[in-house]
Amino acid sequence: MNTYFEGVDLGKILEVIAAFNGERNSIRLLDVIITKMRDITDCEAGTLYVVKDGGLHFTILHNEKLGVFSYGDEIKLPPVSLDKDNIENVSAYCAIEKTMVNIGDIYEDARFNFQGPKKYDAMTGFRTRSMLVFPLSDMHENVIGVIQLINARDPSGGVTPFDKRLEFMLK
């Protein structure tokens, strides 16, 4: 048996596929995607960015712990620049390099500048810890967005790093 799928609810993955086939409204479809990705990975929060006008625009923002679920124009955060000089931002890095990044604790990781999440934490009382960030690509392998999953939970509900097996499954 393939150990990469051990403990994964394949029914949840099939629900994502069904959502792709059944939803026609783009914002609702993106909401279903981030909702199902959060459900599959059992995490507290998630952001979905869409590439537009040379930047990553916040399109869906979920934070279950804070009860925040925001969509489209109601998200009043500036876009993340997509230029090669901005690869210290983890979401920009993932889009530019077309790669996935798994971070155990943003407060201990020196690879990227996490001032945005740290500022959010200071303003809201939330504590961003683990992140799984990856690009969304179209059938021509053009990056069309980025998903940022935040704070994986262990079975007791505590925050933990994202399981490395997810990297294999989401590629």
Side-chain angles (χ1 to χ4, degrees), residues 82-97:
L82 280 179
D83 87 42
K84 292 275 187 187
D85 294 329
N86 192 33
I87 60 170
E88 74 274 0
N89 177 291
V90 67
S91 297
Y93 175 84
C94 288
I96 292 165
E97 298 298 325

Side-chain angles (χ1 to χ4, degrees), residues 42 44 46-47 55 69-71 84 88 93 95-96 108 111 113 119 129 144 147 157 159:
D42 191 19
E44 291 181 336
T47 303
F69 298 90
S70 300
Y71 310 94
K84 292 275 187 187
E88 74 274 0
Y93 175 84
I96 292 165
E108 295 178 7
R111 295 176 290 170
N113 177 344
K119 188 178 201 180
R129 186 170 157 209
I144 58 172
I147 289 182
V159 175

Side-chain angles (χ1 to χ4, degrees), residues 58-77:
F58 288 85
T59 305
I60 306 289
L61 181 97
H62 284 188
N63 188 313
E64 181 181 319
K65 189 169 185 174
L66 296 179
V68 173
F69 298 90
S70 300
Y71 310 94
D73 292 339
E74 65 187 54
I75 302 171
K76 303 297 184 205
L77 296 169

